[in-house]
Amino acid sequence: MSRRLRIGRTTCFRLVLAGEIESVTVGRLRRIPADAVPAYVAKLRHRPAEAA
């Protein structure tokens, strides 16, 4: 997922822990469903612009 969004691994973990990106636990592993990435991008597109 981090490769697809071109973000770092740490940033990816931070987004998952913050609940920004959906993830599921499979045994001891955490996985991000394929449809979670487009959902996250869509959420970003509809979010009001933040002040810089």
Side-chain angles (χ1 to χ4, degrees), residues 26-42:
V26 180
R28 292 174 50 185
L29 304 173
R30 179 151 312 267
R31 297 290 184 223
I32 298 171
D35 61 343
V37 175
Y40 173 68
V41 172

Side-chain angles (χ1 to χ4, degrees), residues 3-5 13-15 20-22 24-25 27 29 32 46 48-49 51-52:
R3 276 184 262 159
R4 195 160 176 205
L5 290 175
F13 283 135
R14 215 176 285 141
L15 289 171
E20 293 285 325
I21 297 177
E22 177 191 2
V24 294
T25 304
L29 304 173
I32 298 171
H46 294 97

